[in-house]
Amino acid sequence: MSLTDYFKTIPDIAYEGPESDNPFAYKYYNPAEKILGKSMEAWLRYAVCYWHTFRGTGADPFGGATLCRPWEDGTDSVDMAVKRADVVFDFINKLGLKFYCFHDRDVAPEGDTVTQTNKNLWTVAKRFKKNQKATGIDLLWGTANMFSHPRFAQGASTTPNADVYAYCANSVKEMLDVTLELGGQNYVFWGGREGYMSLLNTDIGRELDHLAKFLHMAVDYAKKIGFKGQFLIEPKPCEPTKHQYDFDAQTVIGFLRGAKLHKHFKLNIETNHATLAGHEFVHELEVARVNGMLGSVDANRGDLMNGWDTDQFPNDVKECTHAMLSIIKNKGLGQGGLNFDAKVRRDSTDMEDFFHAHIGGIDVYARALRIAAKVIEDGKLDGMVTDRYSSWDAGVGKDVEKGKHDLVSLQKYILKKGTAAPNQSGKQELFENVFNSYF
Ligand code: XLS
Ligand code: NI
Ligand code: NI
């Protein structure tokens, strides 16, 4: 079934196995195939993101639009927005995926008044609802864009301008209503302008209080309307602001705990944001996971030579495998998923390139899932980690974990023993060799 005929030259993308050389086929992603007792589709829950794939133009600070989208009429009208909504569902259908994600401003233009802006959003949301019904595609998450328009230049919920704060309340309220109406499974906060450029003109204490208040208002409103979706915060250390408050997973978790919001939130971890923070992607996943807050993933990658958010499609099998190990240990992403927050390069100018990009990202994670499952099934790496911590499984270590010790009793123990047992080798190189042996 298709709503438009823009992709009629592209075949439905299906699994053909690793031997296939068809660029319009999956070599590793076989949605129904069971891995560790669950279908690949259920583990991976891929989503297409509206903003890069349908609203990104290829423009950069040095040049204008380059990308080819034959359906665009050059306007930002509501009519165009509704037409685009049909194309998006056709695209996701061709890929055989089940989810999409969007910001309010990706899908509908602002009007002259707030009332008109909200009306525009609902006009497109109605089309989404119809298309979701017709295709079985669901909303993974909704969010509000509170960073593009000049009114947000000094912050959204951390702005010095109280009217802008109220404007943001309207945006989040409407998008929560829309997300509820569309059965969205999560709601994301990414604080693009929630940070500062200079401490000379910034009252960070006041701004952080306002941010916490704002998130509490969102939680209260969700409760009021019966929104059961998961709230997610997406950490990022910088860009566009010099320092963003949601710097990394550990920072966000600390903030949420301090504001007594942690029970209501999980994290949406983005690969390129992790690396911008000076962390490996898997570090961020693990920090979220061990805190019980790994909710969803923005799957992309950066460029090692570049210090900004290049939002490239993921293609590193080893990095994705390491990530999938964490996700499997998390027993999956629950109602979250893998959202391709990624864009084709500005010189990838064919409409087909959107397919190649997604096929590549889908296959690299599918391949990573297969390898990670093998690593887990073998149990070799996990066994080596367990061995490394074996001093905690008996004797004094076990007693400490059980809470049976204090400083005095531990001193007594070590005085009696005379000195600490020697360290066992950490064997990092062996661990790396074992991990490498799976590729
Ligand atoms: C930007 C973010 C953004 C969020 C959604 O760097 O990744 O795209 O995912 O607002
Ligand atoms: Ni993102
Ligand atoms: Ni990003």
Side-chain angles (χ1 to χ4, degrees):
M1 191 219 73
S2 68
L3 302 163
T4 71
D5 55 13
Y6 289 103
F7 303 124
K8 62 171 187 276
T9 59
I10 309 276
D12 288 342
I13 314 298
Y15 175 69
E16 290 186 4
E19 303 307 322
S20 164
D21 65 357
N22 175 5
F24 290 100
Y26 297 124
K27 321 286 188 292
Y28 298 95
Y29 183 54
N30 188 15
E33 188 179 327
K34 289 259 163 75
I35 306 265
L36 297 174
K38 213 156 69 170
S39 70
M40 295 188 86
E41 187 171 40
W43 278 116
L44 297 163
R45 292 169 60 85
Y46 294 121
V48 168
C49 92
Y50 219 97
W51 51 103
H52 289 312
T53 299
F54 292 95
R55 302 315 308 278
T57 61
D60 72 8
F62 304 94
T66 55
L67 302 182
C68 156
R69 287 198 191 80
W71 51 87
E72 291 290 328
D73 66 8
T75 70
D76 195 15
S77 66
V78 176
D79 284 350
M80 183 60 236
V82 170
K83 178 180 173 195
R84 190 183 297 120
D86 291 352
V87 180
V88 172
F89 280 77
D90 278 348
F91 179 77
I92 301 170
N93 234 349
K94 278 270 161 187
L95 289 168
L97 301 186
K98 292 285 158 63
F99 296 105
Y100 69 122
C101 300
F102 67 87
H103 303 80
D104 49 2
R105 282 301 76 73
D106 305 332
V107 303
E110 278 199 10
D112 292 336
T113 60
V114 183
T115 307
Q116 188 59 48
T117 299
N118 294 345
K119 232 176 119 192
N120 293 352
L121 177 62
W122 279 99
T123 302
V124 183
K126 281 193 188 116
R127 189 61 156 232
F128 284 168
K129 188 150 191 196
K130 189 168 158 240
N131 290 352
Q132 285 185 197
K133 242 187 162 163
T135 59
I137 291 165
D138 285 327
L139 179 60
L140 185 68
W141 49 264
T143 187
N145 177 333
M146 302 191 294
F147 45 87
S148 293
H149 192 279
R151 78 173 67 81
F152 306 119
Q154 300 187 46
S157 66
T158 61
T159 169
N161 179 348
D163 264 12
V164 170
Y165 193 90
Y167 191 101
C168 292
N170 169 77
S171 300
V172 170
K173 181 193 163 291
E174 288 301 300
M175 263 313 291
L176 278 171
D177 288 337
V178 164
T179 304
L180 174 70
E181 175 70 13
L182 297 177
Q185 304 194 15
N186 305 268
Y187 187 89
V188 167
F189 288 90
W190 170 63
R193 305 280 173 190
E194 313 290 34
Y196 61 82
M197 303 304 282
S198 169
L199 282 175
L200 290 174
N201 69 0
T202 304
D203 182 341
I204 55 174
R206 216 162 171 185
E207 292 198 357
L208 285 167
D209 281 351
H210 295 168
L211 173 60
K213 266 204 180 70
F214 194 85
L215 296 177
H216 273 291
M217 288 183 207
V219 166
D220 292 346
Y221 185 68
K223 197 167 165 202
K224 188 168 148 197
I225 62 174
F227 176 66
K228 296 272 172 350
Q230 175 66 54
F231 277 118
L232 298 167
I233 291 197
E234 183 177 320
K236 185 175 181 180
C238 56
E239 199 207 7
T241 73
K242 170 183 153 176
H243 177 99
Q244 296 196 191
Y245 294 130
D246 298 332
F247 190 94
D248 62 0
Q250 191 68 64
T251 309
V252 171
I253 291 167
F255 171 78
L256 290 171
R257 290 223 169 106
K260 298 197 172 19
L261 281 160
H262 53 290
K263 293 215 166 59
H264 305 287
F265 282 83
K266 287 188 176 178
L267 303 188
N268 182 38
I269 302 295
E270 178 163 319
T271 321
N272 205 166
H273 296 181
T275 49
L276 277 180
H279 299 309
E280 283 179 287
F281 175 33
V282 68
H283 167 89
E284 290 291 87
L285 295 172
E286 285 288 276
V287 168
R289 179 180 75 80
V290 302
N291 283 283
M293 291 173 84
L294 175 54
S296 204
V297 167
D298 269 7
N300 61 14
R301 76 176 205 273
D303 183 311
L304 276 186
M305 309 296 152
N306 275 340
W308 72 88
D309 199 8
T310 60
D311 285 336
Q312 286 162 261
F313 275 82
N315 72 354
D316 183 332
V317 185
K318 207 181 272 183
E319 181 178 59
C320 295
T321 301
H322 213 165
M324 285 312 302
L325 282 176
S326 182
I327 292 170
I328 291 172
K329 285 182 184 155
N330 198 55
K331 298 189 169 47
L333 291 168
Q335 60 201 82
L338 295 174
N339 167 48
F340 290 114
D341 191 352
K343 54 193 176 204
V344 298
R345 299 304 88 189
R346 79 188 292 270
D347 55 341
S348 296
T349 46
D350 290 344
M351 191 260 286
E352 293 181 355
D353 293 319
F354 293 110
F355 286 92
H356 296 314
H358 283 83
I359 291 167
I362 289 163
D363 253 354
V364 76
Y365 266 96
R367 191 172 175 187
L369 168 61
R370 292 174 184 279
I371 299 170
K374 182 115 198 346
V375 174
I376 301 242
E377 273 169 341
D378 280 1
K380 206 163 162 185
L381 266 181
D382 279 342
M384 285 162 65
V385 174
T386 307
D387 277 356
R388 188 162 178 240
Y389 288 85
S390 59
S391 79
W392 294 92
D393 296 331
V396 68
K398 193 173 178 184
D399 289 343
V400 170
E401 284 196 350
K402 280 189 168 158
K404 286 188 183 162
H405 272 294
D406 58 20
L407 287 186
V408 174
S409 66
L410 281 174
Q411 181 189 41
K412 198 169 151 207
Y413 162 83
I414 202 70
L415 284 175
K416 188 168 169 219
K417 192 154 184 187
T419 188
N423 286 329
Q424 305 289 328
S425 168
K427 295 205 178 305
Q428 183 179 324
E429 297 77 9
L430 177 61
F431 275 81
E432 288 165 350
N433 294 352
V434 170
F435 188 53
N436 270 353
S437 72
Y438 291 92
F439 296 90

